[in-house]
């Protein structure tokens, strides 16, 4: 039905038309359709090829960035990391030269790391004046500015810059900043102040010397990513150096402290030896003293009881050590109790005349001198007493000879002074009356 309608319509519009006349049109239409299909197929193939190239480039870029990041994590040698980075960047970008330009505090700059093809001039190690990269340009780069120059002779390139780079054979260049945190400013700001602008540590630069070059956006992005990795390596290296410095300072302090402790140990040993010698000398003097000497602790128990005390009172050392003082056990004189408590509170007594009794009950007249004993914290921990028999004045001459020697012993000087006096004979006294002269023994 529709076919008949179409044929009738064609006959009305084109009376001389026949089906045979459609053949050339069909062939032409087929050729056009095939051409269109072929075009779109080629377009799709090209699109896919470009996508594959972009994907491959992206994969390679990621591989390069990850490889450098891994190298940074595994190495603390900044120079090695920088050398590896510029070499791999030059190889990846197919550039003629890649370098890291370090900016110094005085405004000058140096190429601290470089890789360049043999046919071009090396820049490594050269130091350039501030005019090469004036400080007024630093601020823009500190904020992340990059610069891609396809042709150094193009109109918007400064003549001085063009003349400078031409001497190194440069025709195109790509510059990205290497930034670091401004730690000095961060230390000075408070918590309410915004973070300071990073400072420009240096530049990562790629040169094309054999031809002009239009830098692709992905190449610029790659350089920025690698500059970030370089910044991480720099920060890691600086922190490691700070750690090494702190460790060295700590080691020096430890060695210094060890030496001080060694000296103190030597001094302490010498002091201990001196005290031991002093103690031995004092023990010998106490043992040889003609006067009775004993010490009591806070509970009134005997701690020292010399041979003179044994001879004077009759009790042996074994009988009295760590037991109450036997001299006053018979009646516990109130006067003695008061005297003992007063001594333990810090009072020193000299020439207290008393009558006591020996072990066999024989009475003996004595002169009693006593002083408190102090521990290392200057707290009273007992008392010491020196007793002379008033019936034996001649023996005091021996004490007089010992006194200068004892008074020179620093450990017991305070005892000699604190005890008050020793009993010595006074010349010209018909009754051999006793007096004191600031000596115990």
């Amino acid at each position: 039905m529709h076919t008949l309608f179409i044929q009738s319509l064609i006959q009305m519009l084109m009376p001389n038309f026949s089906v045979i006349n459609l053949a050339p049109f069909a062939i032409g239409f087929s050729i056009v359709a095939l051409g269109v299909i072929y075009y779109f197929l080629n377009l799709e193939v090209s699109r896919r090829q470009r996508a594959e190239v972009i994907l491959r480039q992206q994969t390679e870029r990621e591989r390069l960035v990850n490889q450098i990041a891994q190298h940074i994590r595994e190495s603390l040698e900044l120079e090695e990391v920088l050398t590896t980075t510029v070499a791999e960047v030059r190889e990846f970008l197919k550039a003629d030269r890649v370098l890291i330009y370090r900016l110094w505090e005085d405004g000058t700059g140096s190429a601290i790391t470089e890789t360049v093809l043999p046919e071009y001039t090396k820049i490594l190690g050269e130091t350039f004046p501030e005019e090469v990269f004036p400080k007024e340009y630093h601020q823009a780069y500190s904020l992340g500015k990059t610069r891609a120059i396809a042709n150094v002779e193009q109109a918007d390139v400064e003549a001085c810059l063009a003349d400078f780079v031409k001497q190194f054979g440069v025709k195109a260049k790509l510059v990205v900043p290497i930034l670091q945190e401004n730690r000095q400013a961060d230390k000075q700001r408070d918590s309410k102040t915004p973070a300071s602008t990073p400072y420009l540590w240096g530049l990562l630069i790629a040169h094309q010397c054999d031809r002009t070059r239009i830098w692709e956006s992905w190449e610029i992005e790659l350089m920025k990513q690698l500059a970030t990795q370089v910044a991480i390596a720099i920060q890691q290296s600086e922190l490691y150096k700070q750690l090494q410095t702190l460790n060295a300072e700590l080691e020096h302090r430890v060695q210094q402290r060890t030496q001080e402790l060694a000296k103190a140990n030597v001094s302490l040993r010498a002091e201990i030896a001196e005290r031991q010698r002093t103690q031995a000398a004092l023990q010998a003097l106490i043992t040889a003293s003609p006067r009775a000497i004993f010490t009591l602790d806070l509970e009134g128990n005997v701690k020292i009881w010399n041979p003179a005390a044994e001879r004077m009172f009759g009790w042996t050392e074994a009988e009295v050590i760590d037991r109450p003082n036997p001299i006053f056990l018979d009646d516990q004189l109130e006067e003695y109790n008061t005297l003992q408590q007063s001594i333990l509170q810090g009072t020193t007594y000299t020439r207290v005349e008393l009558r006591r009794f020996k072990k066999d009950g024989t009475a003996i007249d004595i002169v009693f001198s006593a002083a408190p004993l102090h521990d290392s914290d200057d707290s009273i921990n007992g008392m010491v007493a020196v007793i002379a028999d008033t019936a034996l004045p001649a023996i005091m001459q021996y004490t007089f000879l010992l006194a200068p020697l004892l008074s020179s012993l620093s450990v017991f000087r305070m005892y000699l002074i604190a005890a008050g006096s020793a009993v010595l004979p006074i010349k010209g006294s018909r009754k051999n009356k006793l007096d004191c002269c600031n000596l115990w023994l």
Side-chain angles (χ1 to χ4, degrees):
M1 185 71 180
H2 292 291
T3 304
L4 293 174
F5 174 76
I6 293 173
Q7 289 178 353
S8 299
L9 182 62
I10 292 173
Q11 288 294 330
M12 291 175 61
L13 296 174
M14 302 174 63
N16 298 323
F17 179 79
S18 68
V19 176
I20 297 175
N21 293 335
L22 288 176
F25 291 100
I27 295 172
F29 179 77
S30 299
I31 294 173
V32 172
L34 289 173
V36 171
I37 292 172
Y38 179 76
Y39 170 77
F40 282 105
L41 284 175
N42 279 340
L43 189 64
E44 180 64 17
V45 170
S46 299
R47 187 187 67 80
R48 291 190 177 187
Q49 289 177 341
R50 286 196 301 272
E52 289 176 359
V53 170
I54 293 173
L55 181 60
R56 186 168 57 253
Q57 290 176 342
Q58 182 178 354
T59 302
E60 289 297 317
R61 290 199 304 271
E62 291 177 354
R63 181 199 61 78
L64 177 61
V65 173
N66 291 334
Q67 181 177 331
I68 292 176
Q70 180 68 21
H71 188 62
I72 290 172
R73 286 192 293 269
E74 294 176 351
S75 176
L76 293 173
E77 294 296 331
L78 180 61
E79 184 176 352
E80 177 185 347
V81 172
L82 298 183
T83 300
T84 301
T85 300
V86 296
E88 293 187 1
V89 171
R90 193 200 66 77
E91 180 67 23
F92 188 82
L93 294 180
K94 306 302 179 186
D96 297 322
R97 180 190 293 112
V98 174
L99 62 95
I100 292 178
Y101 187 77
R102 176 75 165 97
L103 294 169
W104 307 109
E105 293 184 359
D106 61 358
T108 61
S110 302
I112 62 171
T113 307
E114 179 192 31
T115 178
V116 60
L117 294 180
E119 58 266 31
Y120 300 109
T121 305
K122 287 187 177 181
I123 305 177
L124 181 64
E126 291 195 31
T127 300
F128 301 96
E130 182 180 357
E131 291 76 13
V132 172
F133 190 69
K135 286 189 175 181
E136 53 265 28
Y137 292 103
H138 291 197
Q139 181 65 25
Y141 281 92
S142 297
L143 297 175
K145 173 187 175 180
T146 62
R147 189 169 188 186
I149 300 176
N151 184 354
V152 297
E153 295 183 350
Q154 63 190 22
D156 61 339
V157 177
E158 299 85 348
C160 58
L161 174 60
D163 293 338
F164 175 75
V165 297
K166 282 179 184 178
Q167 63 181 314
F168 303 109
V170 180
K171 294 184 178 180
K173 64 183 296 187
L174 174 60
V175 182
V176 297
I178 301 173
L179 305 177
Q180 288 290 295
E181 294 180 3
N182 195 339
R183 297 186 193 87
Q184 295 297 330
D186 288 343
K187 290 179 181 178
Q188 297 174 0
R189 69 183 181 89
D190 55 31
S191 59
K192 297 181 180 179
T193 305
S196 58
T197 303
Y199 76 91
L200 185 62
W201 186 90
L203 303 169
L204 178 60
I205 304 173
H207 286 166
Q208 198 67 43
C209 302
D210 62 342
R211 55 184 170 81
T212 59
R213 176 173 179 171
I214 298 176
W215 302 96
E216 302 289 343
S217 59
W218 65 264
E219 294 174 325
I220 299 173
E221 185 62 27
L222 173 64
M223 287 281 281
K224 290 170 65 176
Q225 291 178 1
L226 294 177
T228 300
Q229 294 299 322
V230 170
I232 293 173
I234 294 167
Q235 186 177 22
Q236 178 177 282
S237 175
E238 290 182 353
L239 291 175
Y240 179 65
K241 288 180 180 179
Q242 291 176 9
L243 180 60
Q244 286 183 315
T245 301
L246 291 175
N247 284 338
E249 292 177 356
L250 180 59
E251 181 65 24
H252 176 70
R253 291 179 183 177
V254 169
Q255 292 178 353
Q256 187 177 22
R257 184 57 178 164
T258 301
Q259 293 174 355
E260 292 175 354
L261 291 174
K263 291 180 181 178
N265 190 34
V266 171
S267 300
L268 181 59
R269 290 186 178 184
E271 182 179 350
I272 291 174
E274 178 63 26
R275 288 187 178 184
Q276 289 174 342
R277 288 192 296 269
T278 302
Q279 184 176 2
L282 177 66
Q283 186 64 40
L285 290 173
I286 291 176
T287 301
S289 172
R291 289 192 174 189
I293 300 175
F294 65 84
T295 63
L296 304 177
D297 60 17
L298 294 176
E299 286 73 31
N301 295 321
V302 177
K303 308 306 291 185
I304 293 177
W305 186 266
N306 76 337
E310 292 183 353
R311 294 191 298 270
M312 187 178 294
F313 296 102
W315 286 283
T316 65
E317 183 181 24
E319 292 176 311
V320 299
I321 289 297
D322 292 328
R323 291 182 174 87
N325 184 1
I327 303 175
F328 301 96
L329 280 179
D330 53 351
D331 56 4
Q332 288 291 320
L333 291 176
E334 181 179 350
E335 180 182 358
Y336 172 74
N337 291 334
T338 304
L339 179 68
Q340 181 177 341
Q341 292 302 318
S342 179
I343 293 171
L344 294 178
Q345 292 175 5
T347 303
T348 298
Y349 287 92
T350 60
R351 295 202 64 198
V352 177
E353 296 183 1
L354 299 171
R355 170 167 287 190
R356 301 309 306 141
F357 296 92
K358 301 180 181 180
K359 181 179 179 181
D360 61 7
T362 306
I364 179 173
D365 292 324
I366 62 173
V367 176
F368 176 88
S369 299
L373 290 176
H374 296 79
D375 59 18
S376 58
D377 296 327
D378 203 29
S379 299
I380 295 175
N381 63 354
M383 60 174 282
V384 59
V386 179
I387 299 175
D389 183 354
T390 59
L392 300 172
I395 199 67
M396 297 303 107
Q397 295 296 334
Y398 177 68
T399 301
F400 178 76
L401 295 175
L402 289 176
L405 176 60
L406 289 174
S407 65
S408 66
L409 298 175
S410 59
V411 174
F412 289 91
R413 184 185 300 274
M414 63 179 181
Y415 294 154
L416 294 172
I417 296 173
S421 63
V423 179
L424 298 177
I426 303 299
K427 293 182 179 180
S429 173
R430 287 179 297 175
K431 295 183 179 180
N432 222 359
K433 185 179 179 181
L434 302 179
D435 204 343
C436 79
C437 67
N438 259 346
L439 297 173
W440 275 8
L441 305 179

